[in-house]
Amino acid sequence: MIFFGIVLFAIALYIWDRKIPALLIFFLLLTSGFNLIPEEMTESLFFSKGMDYAIVMLFVIVVIDAFCIKGYLKPDRLIYLYLLFCAYLAVCIFYNKFITGVGWSEIIRTCRYHFLWVACLVFRSLSKARLEVLLKCQFLVTFFCSVLYLLQIFLDESIFNEGAVSSVELFGMKITRFYNQPDMLHFFVFMAIYCNPYKGMVKYVTTAILVIALLAAFHRSLTGSFLVAVAVGCMIQLPRLQRIKILTVASVVSVFVVVFAGYMFVHSRTFIDIQRVASGNVVDAEIDIEDLQASTFTFRIMHLLERNQYLLDNPVAMFTGAGLMTEDSKMTYSLFDFDVGLAEELSGQTVQLDTGDISYSVLLLRYGYLGTFLNLLLFVYLAVFFYKNRKNKYGLSSFLFLIMSFGTSFFSANLIMPITFVLPLITYCMIKKMEKPVLE
């Protein structure tokens, strides 16, 4: 009941034109109390996560605004693409409910986060000045959360919601690796670098803390994607002639690297196992249990290929997805028998549908090829929009964030995490409110 009260309070603030505090509460709910409130505290009869309360709050706000603001629902190109995805999703839901027999509660649980794209309507109803204040407040929150995240390492004690924990050796010291990074860190680290709301010493301190917090997870894929994104940012800001010279040299070097790495890869045991998984012969693939526990890239590729093979063996699933049932549904283990996947802690069974290791396995299984394409099209549209507006500081930082997001999507489930697309919607609306955004 406490969280229902918080939702009602936030809606009241929004109606009283205290929209920034109201939206900060929205993000508080969306990120499980900025990663500080355990899911057990937000569970109730119909809700399991803070995100559920955020969705209810967003729905009420949109309904109120739609009646009070003229032209509120007027679509733009992004909204048209979203409506196209929603049309597909409606067909997918109809098929799952009336043909496959999936229950409404399971369908809602698996699809509900897509509604959060509607936050674009709320953000575009605010002035550019208010959106900048909202971003600055969230930036501050993320900075303090990053300090707490780094404090975990020094204390060797988890402060945020529990996540996976391991260790890494650095300069002969054993350092604890916490995977529970602040949800908004990845977005605001680029804002800190390219459009920091502060100047002078405060700017350097906030940037350093956010960058260190990102690197302190010791994720090789995250670090690599971040460095690539920063390199792209530096390249974009160079004069055209210098860009051409650097790209030419990089292309030549890349050819040699790719040829050498490709030769080594096709002669490896990993390549043979991946071929077997791709052909549906999973049993003969030699998957080491240590690889499973370490969640290596080989494991991720095998995980994706095995799910993709299911779609190839079931043509209807290519277009409607394999199902919108939840992982704990009785239907899940009667329909699927995947071998590649992490073991469920209590039962020891292979997790069939959910994974935090790669975004595309989940998208393909849930929505098939067509749904995955339409969902990714929304992200691609935002990336193209931000690239066209790269001379705008918010456009550049948001574009680089999406570059990193696409890079890490092969190593995490970030593309199905709402915060990955909700935050860029703020800068999307900001840029469109500026005098001469590049829209086409």
Side-chain angles (χ1 to χ4, degrees), residues 356-375:
D357 293 310
I358 183 169
S359 298
Y360 304 100
S361 291
V362 179
L363 288 172
L364 285 175
L365 268 185
R366 296 294 189 199
Y367 312 114
Y369 294 139
L370 179 58
T372 299
F373 170 76
L374 292 175
N375 187 249

PDB file of all heavy atoms in Angstrom, residues 356-375:
ATOM      1  N   GLY A 356      20.028 -13.064 -18.830  1.00  0.00           N
ATOM      2  CA  GLY A 356      20.623 -11.736 -18.702  1.00  0.00           C
ATOM      3  C   GLY A 356      21.891 -11.621 -19.498  1.00  0.00           C
ATOM      4  O   GLY A 356      22.614 -10.633 -19.390  1.00  0.00           O
ATOM      5  N   ASP A 357      22.174 -12.646 -20.343  1.00  0.00           N
ATOM      6  CA  ASP A 357      23.452 -12.719 -21.038  1.00  0.00           C
ATOM      7  C   ASP A 357      23.443 -12.145 -22.444  1.00  0.00           C
ATOM      8  O   ASP A 357      24.487 -11.768 -22.966  1.00  0.00           O
ATOM      9  CB  ASP A 357      23.934 -14.174 -21.106  1.00  0.00           C
ATOM     10  CG  ASP A 357      24.292 -14.722 -19.739  1.00  0.00           C
ATOM     11  OD1 ASP A 357      25.052 -14.046 -19.039  1.00  0.00           O
ATOM     12  OD2 ASP A 357      23.802 -15.796 -19.373  1.00  0.00           O
ATOM     13  N   ILE A 358      22.286 -12.096 -23.092  1.00  0.00           N
ATOM     14  CA  ILE A 358      22.209 -11.586 -24.455  1.00  0.00           C
ATOM     15  C   ILE A 358      20.768 -11.152 -24.730  1.00  0.00           C
ATOM     16  O   ILE A 358      19.817 -11.853 -24.365  1.00  0.00           O
ATOM     17  CB  ILE A 358      22.684 -12.641 -25.478  1.00  0.00           C
ATOM     18  CG1 ILE A 358      22.668 -12.056 -26.895  1.00  0.00           C
ATOM     19  CG2 ILE A 358      21.883 -13.923 -25.378  1.00  0.00           C
ATOM     20  CD1 ILE A 358      23.378 -12.938 -27.919  1.00  0.00           C
ATOM     21  N   SER A 359      20.596 -10.004 -25.363  1.00  0.00           N
ATOM     22  CA  SER A 359      19.253  -9.460 -25.585  1.00  0.00           C
ATOM     23  C   SER A 359      18.482 -10.207 -26.660  1.00  0.00           C
ATOM     24  O   SER A 359      17.264 -10.375 -26.581  1.00  0.00           O
ATOM     25  CB  SER A 359      19.347  -7.982 -25.983  1.00  0.00           C
ATOM     26  OG  SER A 359      19.927  -7.209 -24.966  1.00  0.00           O
ATOM     27  N   TYR A 360      19.178 -10.682 -27.679  1.00  0.00           N
ATOM     28  CA  TYR A 360      18.508 -11.169 -28.885  1.00  0.00           C
ATOM     29  C   TYR A 360      17.852 -12.534 -28.718  1.00  0.00           C
ATOM     30  O   TYR A 360      16.882 -12.833 -29.417  1.00  0.00           O
ATOM     31  CB  TYR A 360      19.502 -11.161 -30.051  1.00  0.00           C
ATOM     32  CG  TYR A 360      20.092  -9.797 -30.244  1.00  0.00           C
ATOM     33  CD1 TYR A 360      21.366  -9.491 -29.755  1.00  0.00           C
ATOM     34  CD2 TYR A 360      19.359  -8.780 -30.850  1.00  0.00           C
ATOM     35  CE1 TYR A 360      21.889  -8.214 -29.889  1.00  0.00           C
ATOM     36  CE2 TYR A 360      19.883  -7.503 -30.997  1.00  0.00           C
ATOM     37  CZ  TYR A 360      21.146  -7.230 -30.512  1.00  0.00           C
ATOM     38  OH  TYR A 360      21.654  -5.961 -30.630  1.00  0.00           O
ATOM     39  N   SER A 361      18.346 -13.335 -27.799  1.00  0.00           N
ATOM     40  CA  SER A 361      17.686 -14.618 -27.534  1.00  0.00           C
ATOM     41  C   SER A 361      16.266 -14.392 -27.027  1.00  0.00           C
ATOM     42  O   SER A 361      15.314 -15.046 -27.460  1.00  0.00           O
ATOM     43  CB  SER A 361      18.476 -15.429 -26.501  1.00  0.00           C
ATOM     44  OG  SER A 361      19.701 -15.862 -27.024  1.00  0.00           O
ATOM     45  N   VAL A 362      16.122 -13.450 -26.110  1.00  0.00           N
ATOM     46  CA  VAL A 362      14.803 -13.140 -25.536  1.00  0.00           C
ATOM     47  C   VAL A 362      13.895 -12.532 -26.597  1.00  0.00           C
ATOM     48  O   VAL A 362      12.732 -12.928 -26.742  1.00  0.00           O
ATOM     49  CB  VAL A 362      14.941 -12.181 -24.332  1.00  0.00           C
ATOM     50  CG1 VAL A 362      13.569 -11.849 -23.757  1.00  0.00           C
ATOM     51  CG2 VAL A 362      15.830 -12.793 -23.259  1.00  0.00           C
ATOM     52  N   LEU A 363      14.405 -11.577 -27.354  1.00  0.00           N
ATOM     53  CA  LEU A 363      13.594 -10.908 -28.369  1.00  0.00           C
ATOM     54  C   LEU A 363      13.105 -11.884 -29.432  1.00  0.00           C
ATOM     55  O   LEU A 363      11.929 -11.870 -29.816  1.00  0.00           O
ATOM     56  CB  LEU A 363      14.403  -9.781 -29.026  1.00  0.00           C
ATOM     57  CG  LEU A 363      14.657  -8.541 -28.170  1.00  0.00           C
ATOM     58  CD1 LEU A 363      15.624  -7.589 -28.877  1.00  0.00           C
ATOM     59  CD2 LEU A 363      13.357  -7.823 -27.829  1.00  0.00           C
ATOM     60  N   LEU A 364      13.994 -12.754 -29.911  1.00  0.00           N
ATOM     61  CA  LEU A 364      13.604 -13.705 -30.949  1.00  0.00           C
ATOM     62  C   LEU A 364      12.564 -14.696 -30.440  1.00  0.00           C
ATOM     63  O   LEU A 364      11.592 -15.006 -31.142  1.00  0.00           O
ATOM     64  CB  LEU A 364      14.829 -14.449 -31.473  1.00  0.00           C
ATOM     65  CG  LEU A 364      15.750 -13.651 -32.404  1.00  0.00           C
ATOM     66  CD1 LEU A 364      16.985 -14.462 -32.753  1.00  0.00           C
ATOM     67  CD2 LEU A 364      15.020 -13.248 -33.677  1.00  0.00           C
ATOM     68  N   LEU A 365      12.773 -15.206 -29.238  1.00  0.00           N
ATOM     69  CA  LEU A 365      11.817 -16.176 -28.696  1.00  0.00           C
ATOM     70  C   LEU A 365      10.460 -15.546 -28.435  1.00  0.00           C
ATOM     71  O   LEU A 365       9.424 -16.146 -28.706  1.00  0.00           O
ATOM     72  CB  LEU A 365      12.360 -16.793 -27.403  1.00  0.00           C
ATOM     73  CG  LEU A 365      13.168 -18.073 -27.524  1.00  0.00           C
ATOM     74  CD1 LEU A 365      13.522 -18.596 -26.145  1.00  0.00           C
ATOM     75  CD2 LEU A 365      12.430 -19.142 -28.309  1.00  0.00           C
ATOM     76  N   ARG A 366      10.458 -14.355 -27.912  1.00  0.00           N
ATOM     77  CA  ARG A 366       9.197 -13.692 -27.568  1.00  0.00           C
ATOM     78  C   ARG A 366       8.444 -13.224 -28.799  1.00  0.00           C
ATOM     79  O   ARG A 366       7.232 -13.374 -28.898  1.00  0.00           O
ATOM     80  CB  ARG A 366       9.462 -12.486 -26.659  1.00  0.00           C
ATOM     81  CG  ARG A 366      10.051 -12.813 -25.306  1.00  0.00           C
ATOM     82  CD  ARG A 366       9.078 -13.586 -24.450  1.00  0.00           C
ATOM     83  NE  ARG A 366       9.571 -13.720 -23.087  1.00  0.00           N
ATOM     84  CZ  ARG A 366       9.129 -14.628 -22.237  1.00  0.00           C
ATOM     85  NH1 ARG A 366       8.199 -15.491 -22.624  1.00  0.00           N
ATOM     86  NH2 ARG A 366       9.612 -14.693 -21.007  1.00  0.00           N
ATOM     87  N   TYR A 367       9.162 -12.609 -29.769  1.00  0.00           N
ATOM     88  CA  TYR A 367       8.494 -11.882 -30.842  1.00  0.00           C
ATOM     89  C   TYR A 367       8.856 -12.346 -32.246  1.00  0.00           C
ATOM     90  O   TYR A 367       8.372 -11.745 -33.218  1.00  0.00           O
ATOM     91  CB  TYR A 367       8.789 -10.382 -30.695  1.00  0.00           C
ATOM     92  CG  TYR A 367       8.570  -9.883 -29.292  1.00  0.00           C
ATOM     93  CD1 TYR A 367       9.621  -9.428 -28.510  1.00  0.00           C
ATOM     94  CD2 TYR A 367       7.304  -9.903 -28.713  1.00  0.00           C
ATOM     95  CE1 TYR A 367       9.422  -8.991 -27.209  1.00  0.00           C
ATOM     96  CE2 TYR A 367       7.091  -9.474 -27.413  1.00  0.00           C
ATOM     97  CZ  TYR A 367       8.158  -9.018 -26.666  1.00  0.00           C
ATOM     98  OH  TYR A 367       7.950  -8.598 -25.378  1.00  0.00           O
ATOM     99  N   GLY A 368       9.681 -13.374 -32.381  1.00  0.00           N
ATOM    100  CA  GLY A 368      10.028 -13.852 -33.707  1.00  0.00           C
ATOM    101  C   GLY A 368      10.874 -12.841 -34.468  1.00  0.00           C
ATOM    102  O   GLY A 368      11.309 -11.819 -33.934  1.00  0.00           O
ATOM    103  N   TYR A 369      11.083 -13.102 -35.757  1.00  0.00           N
ATOM    104  CA  TYR A 369      11.919 -12.221 -36.568  1.00  0.00           C
ATOM    105  C   TYR A 369      11.258 -10.861 -36.795  1.00  0.00           C
ATOM    106  O   TYR A 369      11.908  -9.824 -36.699  1.00  0.00           O
ATOM    107  CB  TYR A 369      12.205 -12.873 -37.925  1.00  0.00           C
ATOM    108  CG  TYR A 369      13.040 -14.123 -37.849  1.00  0.00           C
ATOM    109  CD1 TYR A 369      12.760 -15.231 -38.636  1.00  0.00           C
ATOM    110  CD2 TYR A 369      14.121 -14.208 -36.970  1.00  0.00           C
ATOM    111  CE1 TYR A 369      13.526 -16.381 -38.569  1.00  0.00           C
ATOM    112  CE2 TYR A 369      14.899 -15.353 -36.887  1.00  0.00           C
ATOM    113  CZ  TYR A 369      14.591 -16.441 -37.692  1.00  0.00           C
ATOM    114  OH  TYR A 369      15.351 -17.573 -37.608  1.00  0.00           O
ATOM    115  N   LEU A 370       9.964 -10.876 -37.110  1.00  0.00           N
ATOM    116  CA  LEU A 370       9.275  -9.630 -37.417  1.00  0.00           C
ATOM    117  C   LEU A 370       9.195  -8.719 -36.196  1.00  0.00           C
ATOM    118  O   LEU A 370       9.506  -7.521 -36.281  1.00  0.00           O
ATOM    119  CB  LEU A 370       7.868  -9.922 -37.942  1.00  0.00           C
ATOM    120  CG  LEU A 370       7.010  -8.702 -38.299  1.00  0.00           C
ATOM    121  CD1 LEU A 370       7.717  -7.854 -39.359  1.00  0.00           C
ATOM    122  CD2 LEU A 370       5.635  -9.136 -38.779  1.00  0.00           C
ATOM    123  N   GLY A 371       8.803  -9.266 -35.061  1.00  0.00           N
ATOM    124  CA  GLY A 371       8.701  -8.455 -33.847  1.00  0.00           C
ATOM    125  C   GLY A 371      10.045  -7.923 -33.401  1.00  0.00           C
ATOM    126  O   GLY A 371      10.152  -6.773 -32.947  1.00  0.00           O
ATOM    127  N   THR A 372      11.082  -8.750 -33.508  1.00  0.00           N
ATOM    128  CA  THR A 372      12.431  -8.303 -33.144  1.00  0.00           C
ATOM    129  C   THR A 372      12.876  -7.157 -34.049  1.00  0.00           C
ATOM    130  O   THR A 372      13.427  -6.153 -33.581  1.00  0.00           O
ATOM    131  CB  THR A 372      13.432  -9.472 -33.251  1.00  0.00           C
ATOM    132  OG1 THR A 372      13.048 -10.512 -32.347  1.00  0.00           O
ATOM    133  CG2 THR A 372      14.847  -9.015 -32.934  1.00  0.00           C
ATOM    134  N   PHE A 373      12.608  -7.299 -35.345  1.00  0.00           N
ATOM    135  CA  PHE A 373      12.965  -6.247 -36.296  1.00  0.00           C
ATOM    136  C   PHE A 373      12.246  -4.935 -35.961  1.00  0.00           C
ATOM    137  O   PHE A 373      12.861  -3.868 -35.928  1.00  0.00           O
ATOM    138  CB  PHE A 373      12.612  -6.687 -37.723  1.00  0.00           C
ATOM    139  CG  PHE A 373      12.728  -5.585 -38.740  1.00  0.00           C
ATOM    140  CD1 PHE A 373      13.969  -5.181 -39.199  1.00  0.00           C
ATOM    141  CD2 PHE A 373      11.592  -4.951 -39.223  1.00  0.00           C
ATOM    142  CE1 PHE A 373      14.081  -4.156 -40.127  1.00  0.00           C
ATOM    143  CE2 PHE A 373      11.686  -3.925 -40.149  1.00  0.00           C
ATOM    144  CZ  PHE A 373      12.941  -3.525 -40.608  1.00  0.00           C
ATOM    145  N   LEU A 374      10.947  -5.009 -35.699  1.00  0.00           N
ATOM    146  CA  LEU A 374      10.166  -3.802 -35.409  1.00  0.00           C
ATOM    147  C   LEU A 374      10.605  -3.154 -34.101  1.00  0.00           C
ATOM    148  O   LEU A 374      10.624  -1.925 -33.976  1.00  0.00           O
ATOM    149  CB  LEU A 374       8.676  -4.142 -35.347  1.00  0.00           C
ATOM    150  CG  LEU A 374       8.032  -4.540 -36.679  1.00  0.00           C
ATOM    151  CD1 LEU A 374       6.594  -4.978 -36.459  1.00  0.00           C
ATOM    152  CD2 LEU A 374       8.090  -3.397 -37.684  1.00  0.00           C
ATOM    153  N   ASN A 375      10.967  -3.989 -33.119  1.00  0.00           N
ATOM    154  CA  ASN A 375      11.444  -3.447 -31.848  1.00  0.00           C
ATOM    155  C   ASN A 375      12.799  -2.768 -32.006  1.00  0.00           C
ATOM    156  O   ASN A 375      13.019  -1.656 -31.510  1.00  0.00           O
ATOM    157  CB  ASN A 375      11.521  -4.558 -30.802  1.00  0.00           C
ATOM    158  CG  ASN A 375      11.850  -4.044 -29.420  1.00  0.00           C
ATOM    159  OD1 ASN A 375      12.915  -4.277 -28.886  1.00  0.00           O
ATOM    160  ND2 ASN A 375      10.918  -3.311 -28.821  1.00  0.00           N
TER     161      ASN A 375
END
